[in-house]
Each structure stands twice: as C-alpha cells, then as structure tokens.
Amino acid sequence: MASNLLSAPSRTLAPSPAPAPAGFRGRVPVQAHFPRRGGFGFGFAPRRSSRALRVRASVAIEKETPESEPPPTFLREDGHGSGSVRARFESMIRRVQGEVCAALEEADGGGARFVEDVWSRPCGGGGINPVLQDGRVFEKAGVNVSVVYGVIPPDAYRDGKGEADKNGAAAGDGHKPGPVPFFAGGISSVLHPKNPFAPTLHFNYRYFETDAPKGAPGAPRQWWFGGGTDLTPSYIIEEDVKHFHSVQKQACDKFDPSFHPRFKKWCDDYFYIKHRNERRGLGGIFFDDLNDYDQEMLLNFATECADSVLPAYIPIIERRKNTPFNEEHRAWQQLRRGRYVEFNLVYDRGTTFGLKTGGRIESILVSLPLTARWQYDHKPEEGTEEWKLLEACINPKDWI
Amino acid sequence: MASNLLSAPSRTLAPSPAPAPAGFRGRVPVQAHFPRRGGFGFGFAPRRSSRALRVRASVAIEKETPESEPPPTFLREDGHGSGSVRARFESMIRRVQGEVCAALEEADGGGARFVEDVWSRPCGGGGINPVLQDGRVFEKAGVNVSVVYGVIPPDAYRDGKGEADKNGAAAGDGHKPGPVPFFAGGISSVLHPKNPFAPTLHFNYRYFETDAPKGAPGAPRQWWFGGGTDLTPSYIIEEDVKHFHSVQKQACDKFDPSFHPRFKKWCDDYFYIKHRNERRGLGGIFFDDLNDYDQEMLLNFATECADSVLPAYIPIIERRKNTPFNEEHRAWQQLRRGRYVEFNLVYDRGTTFGLKTGGRIESILVSLPLTARWQYDHKPEEGTEEWKLLEACINPKDWI
C-alpha cells in the first residue's frame, strides 16, 4: 500500500527527483507558445501591440536538476546586476513566496508545513515549489517561484517586431542576427482551503525580458509584466468578496485609475469556462503583456499587487476557517472544484502549454484541488445560496 | 441548499431541459472536426485511407428538444428502411443500451435506478441518456445512445475524396454538387463502481454513413464503424484482467485473426496520457474508421463487440463489488480517477470536440467520475499493488 496517501507531510527539504520532462533531453527546441505560469516558464503573448514579439515560436529549455536547498539567486552572472529589473523582480517574488508560505502556515494553525522541491537548470534558472497538503485549514496550497532562461529563434523575433524593426538595428548591419535570449521569472500560487465557506485563491505575477539578439547588440529589447489575483468561493459572503475586490482596487488605484476597471474585466474574461458559460469564480484582476507604461512603475505595480495577496486573503481565511458546515456544503464545494479542474485542464494557457511541452507535471498540476466532484446534471434550486454563486459566475458583478 | 446534491435519484422519465448548447441557435455551422463519442455526435477521421473523408470541416447541427419518452426510432423516414445498415445499427445499440442498463441495475442490488433524459432534433435524430448515480455498487454510470443527422460542406467532401473522385460522378456532370448529408449513430458508456477493486469500464460503438451529395446522386457513399471497450482498474487482479481481455479476443477472433492484436494495440495507443507517460488503464480494444471489410461483416463485428460488454464486465463486478477495502485503497482509486479526468478533458477526442463545439455538456461529461483526487507528487512505493498498476499503465502488457 502507498504509505503516503493519507498522511500529512512533515516539513523537510527533500527534493523530489524532478524528472526530466517527456521530450526534453538537454536543449531541445519546442514548437509552441510560451506558458503563462507554472513551474516551467512564464508567458508572453502580445495582445495590445502589433510590435510586441509573436511567441508561437520554438524555444529551447533544458531539463531540471534537483537541488538540496534554494540558492541565493537563480540569476546567471551575466551583467544583469542586483539593480536590474530582473534581479529586483526575482528578489521580490522570493520575498513574497516566503511571506505567503509563513502566513499560510500560521493561518493553518501549527500542524502542517510546506514541503519544498528545489530545482535548477544547468545553464541558469530554476525553481522553488513549496506545497502544503492536508493541513488543518488548507487542503492543498502551492506557492511556486521559477526563473527560466531560454532562446527565441531569430525569425520569430524579427517576424513579431514588424517591418520597421526588420529594417532597423537588428538587420541593418547586413548580418543575420542570432537567436534572442530571454529571461522569465514569476510566482504562481493556488490555495485550496478545506472549509466550503473559505474561498480558493489564485495569484500569479511574472516578468519577461529579452536580451539583444546575438549579433545585433544595438537592437531594441522587449519586456513585459503579467499577472493577477482572483478569488473562487463556493458561497458568496458579500463582506469577503467586497473586501477582496477592494484590496485589488486599492493596489491598482495607486498607479492608474484605468487599471482596476480594465484588469477586473480582463480577469472576468480570462477565467471563463466556455463550455459551461460560467466563470471559474468571482474574479479579481488579471493583466498580460503589460509594457506600455514606465518599466519602474510597472515593477512597483506588480510588487504592490503581490504584496496585496495576504491583506486581501488572510482576513477572509481567519473569518471562515472555522465556520461550521455540513455534507451538502462540502458536496457543493467539491462540484465547484470540478469546475476549477475543468478550467485549468481545458483553458488555462499555462497548464495546457505545460502539459503539451513536457513541463514539470507535478508543479503544473499542483493547482488542481486535492479532491473534486462531478454530478450529472446538477442544477441548484433557484434562490438557494448555491444558485446565487452560480448566477454570479454566469453574470460577473461589480462588487464594489 | 441544493436538495439533490447528496440524495440518490429515483427512477423517472423526467427529461431535463437539455439546454441549447452555447453557440447553437438552429442550424449553425460549426468549424471543427467530428466528435468520436458523447451525446453530441460520432466521429470519423481518416487514418488508414487517404480516400476517406477529411473531417476538419464545418457541420450543421441543430439544437436539442427534450422528449417525454423515447420514440420507436430516431431515424428519419427517408428511404433507409428497417433493413438498412443504419436502421439495424440503431436497433442494435438501443437493444444493447436496454440490456446494459437492466444488468447494471440488477448488479447494483435493487436500490438505484437509471434516470433517463431523452431528446430529439427537429430535422431528425436524438438521444437517450440514462444515468445511474450513487447506487450501492455504482458511483456513476452513463449509457448514452444518440443518432445525429448533419451536413458536410461539399468542399470538405470533395477535398477528402481525392482527385479521382473530384473528376468523377460528383463533379463530372458539370454541376457543383451540394452539401453531403450524413448519418451517425452510436452508444457510449462509462461505468464507475464504488469499490476500489471493481474496475471502471468504458465502451463505445458507432456507425457513420453519408448520403450521396445533393446534385450528384451517383457519387459514391462513405461509411465506417468505430468503437472499443476498455478496462480501468485501480488494482490489478489478474483473473479479472485476463477474463476481460479474453472476452475481447474471442469477439475479435470470430471475424479476423488480425483484429485482436491490431485493436488491442490501437487501444493502448489511444488511451495514452502523454503528460504522464501513462495509459489511462489496462486497455482492451479500440478501432476507428473501419471500412476496409465487408459492411455486413463489420456490422456483425460491432454487434458482437457490443454484446460482449456484459459477459466481459458483469462477472468481474459480481466478484469485486463486495470486496472489503480501506481508506488507502479508496484514496488510490480516487487518484486514478484523477487520471481518468485528465485523459478525458485533455485528450479524448469526443470530449474535447464536444466542449469546443457546444455539445450537450452533461451528456459529454457524464464520463467523468463522481469524485477524483490530485495529490502532489504521489509516487507509489516500489513493489506495492499501486506501483504494479502504475507499471502496467506505463508499459502495456499482453494479458492473455
């Protein structure tokens, strides 16, 4: 019998073998677009600017090696010093990872601890994947950080940059430019509490940056930020939902009054289970490929958003973690977890990319709940609390 | 609270509203290939013959209407009489549906009953979707039958048939041929027992046939058969697995000695969870687009396979439905159900097609287990019964 199936993990720094993903043996090109999140990499795909890079391109990613403990940094020593945006972003997500894990362990009440898998790649980058499972409050909580170095083929880089750039620095010197190295770093987390009145939380912040193409040092670089924080309750407790959205709005409003309405709608649009005509949950904020503001400002914005996770979530958990519930509440929560699984396996770009390209499966699928339920043709009775939740998933509301 | 969340359904003939699938309002063209199974339609996609129809084409399917009881036939009165292959196929799958449902209710022990949804489409075709949920033996069992009439655009029909046919009857009279009407009928079933030692069963048999294109009555028609039966246990009980595969082999061997080895391998190849490098279960038989044998012979073969479902499965259920089990057995079964969900949502062609094109969601997803589990980085200890099952899913065996 499998001895670890029902027992709670104890705190260890025991890296799993982090198996080589299927299809990856050293530096193998992968025909696909980039992931949005997960233990594998971080996404970028232009939506707003035709000059941004197109990313349905080949990338070269190495296999992972397990590490016994987290290194001070996953960054290469390649001239991007501690003051660079990538270095400050890595530092920020690792700080937030530590703070979130500590706060969750405290909220969980003392027993369960995060167990960490740490891995690196030979030519730079790596990840830390702490998972807390079967705690007193949390059924499953993963808080992944990873840093990925890779290479975009030059054709993909030039094709995406438009005619102006084709005739510019990258190609104007008569040399064919080489592949474009990139850096991507991010934090990605899903927290599934046990209590049906305590909502699931997902957040994910990431930064992407290219180096200049080899052979064209003067060519323009690309960078952008993406991410979001969203709430998935099984029951609507207005006080909680309003609090959550208020914290997101406060974070946005510090930077630009257009951010919150725009990123709230983007979130409602993204977490859409098309075959159900339902959102996964009650939204929050979501943005991607953000590069049309000052870079320092966006770094500060991503930091503010990541720092808003605990103030947005922990008060809700503290209020709801001990709320009494019965088997029907639990069954409804499990049905909504089924929807979470449907969204993540069918629509989430990071997950579907990771599955297709051989990312580290356990890191990618740590987002799935510990348990889920599918009941044939279940329809909540009109007017019930379950019906109200479903209604709000079908017709997104302005909560504040 | 949702009153039906935890209660067992009683036998009724209460059709659910069978909501219009998202995106379908009357006859709306859908850009997609055909489904392999599910409540929506039945698949065809050429694998073996370059002359077979290509099916990544637009099809026109109407929305469903609920019916109060099953009609004697879902076939149109269009000259395909009771002796036609399509009529005999429909008659066979409806007979098998009745026999399977009766046998499952008997095996379940008397309490739970199948609840039927019946629906039709205004221009012909329809379906019967009986579901037994939360029985004594079965957690969830669905046995869908459906008949679909649709239309393939003429370009898709001609493109798929190659140059010879382009210059033949379909186009040789100088008229542009019209759309190609098709008929598809099938039975599709997934049976999830509660006991971790009683395996999940899936089977699915379907027949596809085109009419001559409108405007080209002399053009050749297309037809083929597809289907299979496969077993997904959580624990290997050799006696059961050997019995199951023996019955499949006996059915195949009555027709052609090449069938069993070929369709056994096809099954192992099809039910492959690529991102896990595991099969969903221990296989069985699977075939598709089969039209390179006598049509009568293949109708008899599909009938034999469908009639082999009960002899293959019921003895196993009878032996295992009362086997004592503990929470660890149940947790492992739930983990394997998670794999079932991963396969169906990520890879199964019928499911993924249905989700994309707005099929009847509850019919499509009735294949998902009632409950499933995802545990971070679970690895069975070498030599355990769980490890043996996983090994056999990674390296398919010849069981007989």
Side-chain angles (χ1 to χ4, degrees):
Chain A
M1 300 297 103
S3 58
N4 59 336
L5 255 171
L6 293 169
S7 56
S10 57
R11 177 153 207 145
T12 60
L13 265 171
S16 83
F24 282 79
R25 292 289 179 273
R27 299 175 70 88
V28 180
V30 180
Q31 197 69 34
H33 66 88
F34 282 34
R36 297 291 161 141
R37 60 177 191 73
F40 174 60
F42 295 91
F44 66 114
R47 283 178 68 115
R48 304 183 55 253
S49 162
S50 63
R51 295 190 63 248
L53 276 177
R54 290 213 192 100
V55 292
R56 292 180 182 278
S58 298
V59 296
I61 302 280
E62 303 165 309
K63 62 173 262 191
E64 307 103 3
T65 310
E67 296 287 341
S68 58
E69 59 183 289
T73 177
F74 287 111
L75 264 61
R76 293 177 186 161
E77 291 180 4
D78 58 1
H80 293 270
S82 61
S84 66
V85 173
R86 61 177 72 176
R88 285 185 289 152
F89 191 84
E90 191 218 11
S91 164
M92 182 274 282
I93 59 180
R94 290 189 58 176
R95 172 181 62 76
V96 169
Q97 181 185 46
E99 290 169 5
V100 168
C101 289
L104 294 175
E105 284 186 354
E106 193 184 330
D108 200 74
R113 291 280 177 261
F114 277 92
V115 179
E116 272 184 0
D117 283 328
V118 183
W119 48 273
S120 67
R121 292 202 170 95
C123 293
I128 308 172
N129 301 153
V131 179
L132 184 153
Q133 205 160 246
D134 203 19
R136 203 177 65 80
V137 171
F138 289 97
E139 196 165 89
K140 199 170 171 190
V143 191
N144 293 348
V145 150
S146 72
V147 165
V148 174
Y149 288 95
V151 168
I152 310 166
D155 287 350
Y157 185 78
R158 286 178 302 158
D159 287 353
K161 293 178 75 265
E163 284 307 312
D165 287 317
K166 274 189 189 173
N167 303 324
D173 59 1
H175 287 85
K176 193 181 174 185
V180 181
F182 73 85
F183 160 94
I187 184 167
S188 175
S189 174
V190 179
L191 315 174
H192 292 292
K194 289 183 167 174
N195 194 300
F197 297 102
T200 288
L201 185 89
H202 163 247
F203 72 94
N204 165 22
Y205 290 95
R206 53 196 184 274
Y207 174 66
F208 174 89
E209 192 181 273
T210 62
D211 291 345
K214 282 171 189 166
R221 296 177 183 190
Q222 298 274 338
W223 58 264
W224 52 83
F225 291 88
T229 304
D230 68 285
L231 198 71
T232 306
S234 300
Y235 290 96
I236 297 175
I237 301 173
E238 287 227 4
E239 175 190 3
D240 296 349
V241 184
K242 282 176 191 292
H243 166 77
F244 175 78
H245 282 282
S246 297
V247 175
Q248 306 312 311
K249 184 173 186 308
Q250 282 161 26
C252 290
D253 286 354
K254 287 185 188 171
F255 293 85
D256 192 302
S258 74
F259 275 9
H260 187 255
R262 184 175 152 208
F263 300 156
K264 196 254 181 206
K265 181 176 185 311
W266 202 334
C267 190
D268 288 334
D269 292 345
Y270 178 74
F271 292 102
Y272 179 55
I273 307 171
K274 193 180 171 209
H275 61 265
R276 300 276 189 186
N277 186 30
E278 290 170 23
R279 275 85 205 153
R280 183 174 80 173
L282 301 184
I285 56 171
F286 184 85
F287 56 91
D288 210 351
D289 315 318
L290 211 61
N291 63 6
D292 47 0
Y293 293 82
D294 175 72
Q295 192 178 19
E296 286 294 320
M297 185 267 228
L298 289 180
L299 174 61
N300 290 337
F301 174 58
T303 303
E304 180 73 28
C305 290
D307 280 332
S308 297
V309 166
L310 291 177
Y313 190 55
I314 294 294
I316 301 175
I317 286 295
E318 290 298 338
R319 284 200 290 267
R320 307 304 161 202
K321 68 185 186 184
N322 294 320
T323 303
F325 63 89
N326 61 31
E327 282 305 301
E328 291 219 341
H329 299 131
R330 175 82 179 152
W332 172 248
Q333 176 205 49
Q334 293 294 301
L335 274 190
R336 297 308 305 172
R337 298 240 156 123
R339 302 291 212 270
Y340 212 91
V341 171
E342 289 177 29
F343 178 82
N344 284 23
L345 290 181
V346 178
Y347 299 104
D348 184 71
R349 282 172 281 180
T351 305
T352 55
F353 174 86
L355 297 185
K356 278 179 192 143
T357 54
R360 186 173 181 268
I361 278 310
E362 291 299 333
S363 299
I364 295 164
L365 295 185
V366 73
S367 66
L368 299 183
L370 189 64
T371 54
R373 179 180 178 93
W374 284 268
Q375 183 165 332
Y376 178 73
D377 211 19
H378 178 266
K379 293 189 182 71
E381 259 177 66
E382 196 170 326
T384 60
E385 294 303 312
E386 291 80 5
W387 178 85
K388 286 178 194 165
L389 185 277
L390 194 56
E391 272 295 300
C393 292
I394 294 169
N395 303 302
K397 289 186 191 179
D398 286 323
W399 292 97
I400 46 173
Chain B
M1 300 296 102
S3 59
N4 59 337
L5 255 172
L6 293 169
S7 56
S10 58
R11 178 156 207 142
T12 61
L13 265 171
S16 83
F24 282 77
R25 292 291 178 274
R27 299 177 68 87
V28 180
V30 181
Q31 197 68 35
H33 65 87
F34 282 34
R36 299 290 163 141
R37 61 177 189 74
F40 176 60
F42 295 92
F44 66 115
R47 285 179 65 116
R48 304 184 55 253
S49 161
S50 62
R51 295 188 64 246
L53 277 177
R54 289 211 193 101
V55 292
R56 292 180 182 278
S58 298
V59 296
I61 303 279
E62 303 163 309
K63 61 172 262 192
E64 307 104 5
T65 311
E67 296 288 341
S68 59
E69 59 183 289
T73 177
F74 287 110
L75 263 61
R76 292 177 187 161
E77 291 179 3
D78 58 0
H80 293 270
S82 61
S84 67
V85 174
R86 61 177 72 175
R88 285 185 289 153
F89 191 84
E90 191 218 11
S91 165
M92 182 274 281
I93 60 180
R94 290 188 59 175
R95 172 181 61 76
V96 169
Q97 182 185 45
E99 290 169 6
V100 168
C101 289
L104 293 175
E105 284 185 352
E106 192 184 331
D108 200 73
R113 291 280 177 261
F114 277 92
V115 179
E116 272 184 2
D117 282 328
V118 183
W119 48 274
S120 67
R121 291 204 171 95
C123 293
I128 308 171
N129 301 153
V131 177
L132 184 153
Q133 205 161 245
D134 202 20
R136 204 178 63 79
V137 171
F138 289 97
E139 196 165 271
K140 199 168 170 192
V143 191
N144 293 348
V145 150
S146 73
V147 165
V148 174
Y149 287 94
V151 166
I152 310 167
D155 288 348
Y157 185 78
R158 284 178 302 158
D159 287 352
K161 293 179 73 266
E163 284 307 313
D165 288 316
K166 274 189 190 174
N167 303 323
D173 59 2
H175 288 84
K176 194 181 175 188
V180 182
F182 72 86
F183 161 94
I187 184 167
S188 175
S189 174
V190 178
L191 314 174
H192 292 292
K194 289 183 166 173
N195 194 300
F197 297 102
T200 288
L201 185 88
H202 162 247
F203 73 94
N204 166 21
Y205 291 95
R206 54 196 182 272
Y207 174 65
F208 175 90
E209 192 181 275
T210 62
D211 291 344
K214 282 171 189 167
R221 295 177 184 190
Q222 297 274 338
W223 58 264
W224 52 83
F225 291 88
T229 304
D230 68 285
L231 197 72
T232 305
S234 299
Y235 290 96
I236 297 175
I237 301 173
E238 287 227 2
E239 175 190 2
D240 297 349
V241 184
K242 282 176 191 292
H243 167 77
F244 175 79
H245 282 281
S246 297
V247 175
Q248 306 313 312
K249 185 173 186 309
Q250 281 161 26
C252 291
D253 286 352
K254 287 184 188 172
F255 294 84
D256 191 301
S258 75
F259 275 9
H260 187 256
R262 185 176 151 208
F263 300 156
K264 197 257 181 204
K265 180 176 186 309
W266 202 336
C267 191
D268 288 334
D269 291 345
Y270 179 74
F271 292 102
Y272 179 54
I273 307 170
K274 193 180 171 207
H275 61 264
R276 300 277 191 186
N277 186 30
E278 291 169 23
R279 276 85 204 153
R280 182 175 80 172
L282 301 184
I285 57 170
F286 185 85
F287 56 91
D288 210 350
D289 315 318
L290 212 59
N291 63 4
D292 47 358
Y293 293 82
D294 177 71
Q295 194 178 17
E296 286 294 320
M297 184 267 228
L298 289 180
L299 174 61
N300 290 336
F301 173 58
T303 304
E304 180 74 27
C305 290
D307 279 332
S308 297
V309 166
L310 290 177
Y313 189 55
I314 294 295
I316 300 175
I317 285 295
E318 290 298 338
R319 282 200 291 266
R320 307 304 162 203
K321 68 185 185 184
N322 294 319
T323 302
F325 63 90
N326 62 30
E327 282 305 300
E328 292 220 341
H329 299 131
R330 175 82 180 152
W332 172 248
Q333 176 206 49
Q334 293 294 302
L335 273 189
R336 296 309 303 172
R337 298 240 156 122
R339 301 292 212 269
Y340 213 90
V341 172
E342 289 177 30
F343 178 82
N344 285 24
L345 290 180
V346 178
Y347 300 103
D348 185 70
R349 281 172 282 179
T351 306
T352 55
F353 174 86
L355 298 185
K356 278 178 193 144
T357 55
R360 186 173 180 269
I361 277 309
E362 291 299 332
S363 300
I364 295 165
L365 296 186
V366 72
S367 66
L368 299 183
L370 190 64
T371 54
R373 180 179 177 94
W374 284 267
Q375 183 165 332
Y376 178 74
D377 212 20
H378 178 265
K379 294 189 181 73
E381 259 177 65
E382 196 169 327
T384 60
E385 293 302 312
E386 291 80 7
W387 178 86
K388 285 178 194 165
L389 185 277
L390 194 56
E391 271 294 300
C393 291
I394 294 169
N395 302 301
K397 290 186 189 178
D398 286 324
W399 292 97
I400 48 175

